[in-house]
Amino acid sequence: MSGETDAHGRIFSGGPWEDRYGYARAVVAGPYVMVSGCTATVGGEVQHVGDAFNQTLTAISIALDAVEKAGVSIDDVVRTRMFVVNAADFDEVGRAHGQVFGAVRPACTSVQVAGLVDPRMLVEVEVEAYRVDRGEETR
């Protein structure tokens, strides 16, 4: 289901685990867009091995692609979560997050995890967005 959106608001990127593990890259539920965890995996291969900063930029790019396919933009992102394998990488992961989201300032949580599905992955990023209808005030 590469690059598709189904009738129920599920967005698929064609990533190797979506079909295997039975999930969508993102789901649109009312005004909310929830993007599944994204890593720096492109075409089934982990990019930027050993480089937490660039892995974070790649993961965020994949997440924002899903956000755009849902019809919203980076300005609609309200929450991010970053799962970081090595505590020593928090600053580089945060720096990459700040480079992309510095003007948006979403709520953000960063946690250290024991590992990800591939040991070459250093970070996984989740993104949530909220679509404000024209004329509706933000809270």
Side-chain angles (χ1 to χ4, degrees), residues 9-72:
R10 292 181 196 94
I11 297 165
F12 301 94
S13 68
W17 296 287
E18 289 174 19
D19 284 338
R20 188 179 315 154
Y21 298 152
Y23 71 93
R25 170 60 47 217
V27 175
V28 178
Y32 298 97
V33 177
M34 294 159 283
V35 181
S36 296
C38 299
T39 64
T41 303
V42 177
E45 287 299 318
V46 177
Q47 306 297 302
H48 313 292
V49 174
D51 182 346
F53 178 82
N54 282 304
Q55 280 198 10
T56 304
L57 290 178
T58 300
I60 290 171
S61 175
I62 292 166
L64 290 178
D65 182 60
V67 164
E68 290 174 8
K69 286 178 181 171
V72 296

Side-chain angles (χ1 to χ4, degrees), residues 85-138:
V85 175
N86 302 312
D89 290 333
F90 273 112
D91 192 56
E92 287 298 289
V93 170
R95 190 167 66 85
H97 183 276
Q99 181 174 305
V100 177
F101 292 110
V104 179
R105 303 286 179 133
C108 178
T109 300
S110 298
V111 297
Q112 184 176 7
V113 295
L116 297 171
V117 70
D118 184 309
R120 298 172 298 168
M121 296 173 180
L122 302 175
V123 62
E124 185 164 331
V125 177
E126 290 181 0
V127 170
E128 294 179 17
Y130 180 79
R131 291 189 301 202
V132 178
D133 291 332
R134 301 272 186 233
E136 180 182 332
E137 292 184 31
T138 59

